[in-house]
């Protein structure tokens, strides 16, 4: 056992403690990991499979020195939705593979040059503003799911039933976030989902016209199936097929640009984990290895049709509370996630979660993403009396949240489009590099 906690990174708990400690990490990561595929039309079973195997890959690459669980990344949700709708899911997976390659490239550069150049190109004012854009850019989707039947959000589609379900879900999650303590506080998203789900079931029992949960897909699903083979998002058909990645310039560039912000997220998570555990993971095993592990896990996930991975703050929170930093415990959680992914009925059950329940959860979750961007700015002490910082943030926020798009075509065979988070990130980097440091200062 470690002097800094009950179990250090290399310590292996006895089996009687190992299994429940690993399940605790599964509960912590579960809500967020399955929510990303639910929102993007990917398979929840595949997401669990790639999260578990990706975590094991990360442990292998880092020499089993860093206790980190890798799950579905929220930062890539806008790209997964936009590229999936305009080009198809295979092109989204191809773009995600190149995001992983970008991680590996940056890891190689850091190994030989250090990370000073990242700090110069992406200071907190840029990173924080981009994270705010990621959260608030998704806000309209959450509100449509919360209040409206269908995807148009038209006044005629407004549903008081949806609004009541979304409100109960949101309130349950908020109460769990604010008032629950210890382990249960780390499960606030999952508790919110369960609260909204149970309320929907109760409403359906008393008012048959409002039965929004259909278990027919669960009945049709098999107990055992390969998680990376799936049909439509509802899993109500058994026409399984593999999402074979395909590659296009626009999808690849979009994912590469977004990966710049997620690389910064990785830097923050690794630093936080170092502080929690009491070891400097930037030095041992080295930032280049943690970043490489994250990138390989992301490319691996996309290869099987899963969402890109990222290190999970939820699991860092569990370690901070329990003082159990064992990589063996994290690895056990990864194995449990893999085993769950092979139960098709489990995946089908997850996909019965009603739209307004997702809307209620996302109202909080997307806000938390935006708030984490604000926290990045505040923690770094960014001075907004400095016109340079004010200008950079202002442009990033308006372009990103407003839906700015850069389009051009060359002939009839090449069409380029860059918008949303990706465009805002590029513009922010350019402004940060071009505007003089003394701009606006007397």
């Amino acid at each position: 056992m470690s002097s800094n906690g009950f179990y250090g990174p290399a310590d292996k708990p006895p089996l009687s403690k190992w299994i429940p400690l690993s399940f605790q990490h599964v509960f912590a990561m579960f809500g967020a990991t399955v929510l990303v595929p639910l929102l993007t039309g990917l398979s929840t079973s595949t997401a669990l499979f790639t999260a578990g195997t990706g975590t094991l890959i990360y442990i292998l690459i880092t020499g089993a020195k860093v206790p980190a669980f890798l799950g579905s990344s929220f930062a890539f949700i806008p790209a997964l939705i936009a590229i999936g709708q305009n080009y198809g899911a295979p092109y989204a997976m191809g773009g995600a593979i190149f995001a992983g390659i970008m991680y590996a490239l940056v890891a190689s550069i850091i190994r030989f040059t250090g990370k000073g150049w990242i700090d110069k190109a992406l200071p907190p004012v840029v990173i924080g503003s981009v994270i705010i854009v990621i959260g608030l850019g998704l806000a309209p989707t959450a509100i449509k799911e919360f209040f409206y039947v269908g995807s148009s959000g038209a006044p005629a589609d407004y549903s008081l039933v949806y609004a009541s379900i979304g409100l109960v879900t949101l309130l349950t999650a908020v109460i769990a976030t604010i008032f629950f303590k210890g382990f249960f506080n780390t499960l606030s998203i999952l508790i919110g989902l369960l609260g909204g789900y149970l309320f929907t079931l109760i409403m359906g029992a008393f008012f048959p016209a409002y039965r929004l949960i259909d278990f027919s897909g669960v009945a049709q699903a098999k107990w055992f199936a390969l998680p990376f083979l799936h049909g439509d998002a509802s899993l109500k058909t058994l026409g399984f097929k593999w999402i074979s990645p395909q590659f296009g310039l626009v999808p690849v560039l979009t994912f590469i640009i977004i990966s710049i912000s997620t690389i910064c997220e990785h830097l923050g998570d690794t630093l936080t984990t170092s502080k929690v555990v009491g070891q400097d993971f930037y030095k041992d095993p080295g930032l280049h290895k943690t970043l490489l592990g994250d990138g390989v896990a992301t490319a691996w996930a996309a290869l099987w049709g899963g969402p890109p991975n990222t290190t999970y703050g939820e699991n860092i929170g569990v370690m901070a509370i329990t003082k159990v930093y064992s990589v063996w415990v994290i690895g056990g959680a990864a194995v449990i996630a893999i085993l769950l992914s092979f139960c098709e009925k489990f995946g089908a059950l997850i996909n019965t979660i009603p739209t307004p329940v997702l809307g209620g959860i996302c109202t909080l979750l997307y806000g938390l993403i935006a708030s984490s961007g604000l926290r990045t700015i505040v923690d770094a002490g960014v001075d907004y009396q400095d016109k340079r910082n004010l200008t950079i943030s202002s442009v990033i926020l308006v372009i990103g949240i407003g839906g700015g798009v850069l389009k051009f075509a060359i002939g009839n065979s090449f069409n380029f489009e860059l918008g949303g988070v990706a465009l805002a990130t590029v513009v922010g980097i350019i402004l940060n590099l071009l505007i003089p440091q003394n701009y606006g200062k007397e």
Side-chain angles (χ1 to χ4, degrees):
M1 295 178 64
S2 169
S3 60
N4 292 329
F6 293 112
Y7 292 99
D11 295 331
K12 181 180 178 182
L15 192 62
S16 60
K17 294 183 178 180
W18 185 3
I19 294 177
L21 286 172
S22 292
F23 264 108
Q24 184 171 241
H25 278 280
V26 172
F27 289 139
M29 67 84 186
F30 184 83
T33 294
V34 302
L35 192 56
V36 173
L38 284 173
L39 296 174
T40 56
L42 299 174
S43 165
T44 54
S45 294
T46 304
L48 286 172
F49 173 77
T50 55
T53 53
T55 299
L56 294 179
I57 289 172
Y58 178 90
I59 290 174
L60 178 64
I61 291 177
T62 57
K65 293 183 177 180
V66 185
F69 191 95
L70 275 63
S72 306
S73 172
F74 281 88
F76 287 98
I77 289 178
L80 288 170
I81 293 175
I83 299 300
Q85 290 176 347
N86 293 302
Y87 295 88
Y91 283 94
M93 294 302 99
I97 288 175
F98 269 86
I101 294 174
M102 181 66 175
Y103 274 67
L105 177 61
V106 173
S108 299
I109 297 174
I110 288 176
R111 180 181 181 183
F112 295 105
T113 66
K115 70 178 188 71
W117 60 277
I118 292 183
D119 296 333
K120 182 178 180 180
L122 289 162
V125 65
V126 175
I127 298 171
S129 299
V130 169
I131 294 174
I132 293 172
V133 166
I134 291 172
L136 295 186
L138 291 166
T141 301
I143 296 303
K144 288 177 184 178
E145 293 175 337
F146 195 132
F147 294 100
Y148 298 93
V149 178
S151 59
S152 66
D157 294 329
Y158 178 84
S159 170
L160 186 59
V161 174
Y162 270 45
S164 62
I165 293 173
L167 183 60
V168 168
T169 304
L170 176 60
L171 288 177
T172 304
V174 168
I175 290 172
T177 300
I178 296 176
F179 296 105
F180 287 13
K181 302 298 182 182
F183 168 63
F184 289 102
N185 181 262
T186 67
L187 304 180
S188 58
I189 298 299
L190 183 60
I191 291 171
L193 283 169
L194 290 174
Y197 195 92
L198 291 175
F199 181 73
T200 307
L201 285 175
I202 293 171
M203 285 195 65
F206 286 98
F207 306 100
Y210 299 138
R211 288 178 179 169
L212 302 180
I213 298 176
D214 182 7
F215 291 106
S216 61
V218 180
Q220 295 177 18
K222 302 175 182 177
W223 280 105
F224 175 84
L226 297 177
F228 41 83
L229 299 176
H230 54 87
D232 61 11
S234 66
L235 288 181
K236 294 178 182 176
T237 66
L238 299 180
F240 301 115
K241 62 180 180 180
W242 187 306
I243 297 183
S244 179
Q246 297 185 30
F247 305 96
L249 181 60
V250 172
V252 166
L253 286 177
T254 299
F255 275 85
I256 285 178
I257 292 170
I258 294 177
S259 72
I260 295 173
S261 62
T262 58
I263 286 172
C264 297
E265 179 185 7
H266 174 93
L267 299 179
D269 285 344
T270 303
L271 180 60
T272 302
T273 304
S274 296
K275 292 180 179 178
V276 167
V277 177
Q279 298 182 17
D280 189 350
F281 296 128
Y282 274 21
K283 293 183 178 179
D284 185 22
L287 185 58
H288 61 286
K289 286 190 176 180
T290 65
L291 195 57
L292 178 62
D294 203 341
V296 173
T298 288
W300 167 265
L303 182 64
W304 298 99
N309 283 328
T310 188
T311 47
Y312 258 26
E314 292 89 339
N315 297 89
I316 298 174
V318 171
M319 290 190 292
I321 292 169
T322 62
K323 297 186 182 300
V324 175
Y325 313 132
S326 172
V327 175
W328 291 90
V329 170
I330 297 294
V335 172
I336 293 171
I338 294 170
L339 294 176
L340 288 175
S341 73
F342 281 89
C343 180
E344 187 180 294
K345 283 188 178 294
F346 180 77
L349 181 64
I350 295 300
N351 280 276
T352 63
I353 297 175
T355 299
V357 172
L358 294 177
I361 283 295
C362 289
T363 299
L364 173 63
L365 199 59
Y366 295 161
L368 288 174
I369 295 173
S371 297
S372 69
L374 288 173
R375 187 176 65 183
T376 298
I377 291 172
V378 172
D379 289 347
V382 175
D383 181 12
Y384 275 107
Q385 291 187 355
D386 185 339
K387 292 182 181 179
R388 182 180 188 277
N389 292 331
L390 194 64
T391 299
I392 293 172
S393 277
S394 299
V395 175
I396 290 174
L397 293 174
V398 172
I399 289 178
I401 298 174
V405 180
L406 176 65
K407 296 182 179 180
F408 63 86
I410 300 177
N412 297 323
S413 58
F414 179 79
N415 294 292
F416 180 82
E417 179 177 325
L418 189 68
V421 178
L423 180 59
T425 302
V426 171
V427 171
I429 292 173
I430 292 174
L431 288 176
N432 176 64
L433 294 176
L434 292 183
I435 299 178
Q437 290 291 333
N438 59 354
Y439 168 74
K441 294 182 179 180
E442 298 181 357

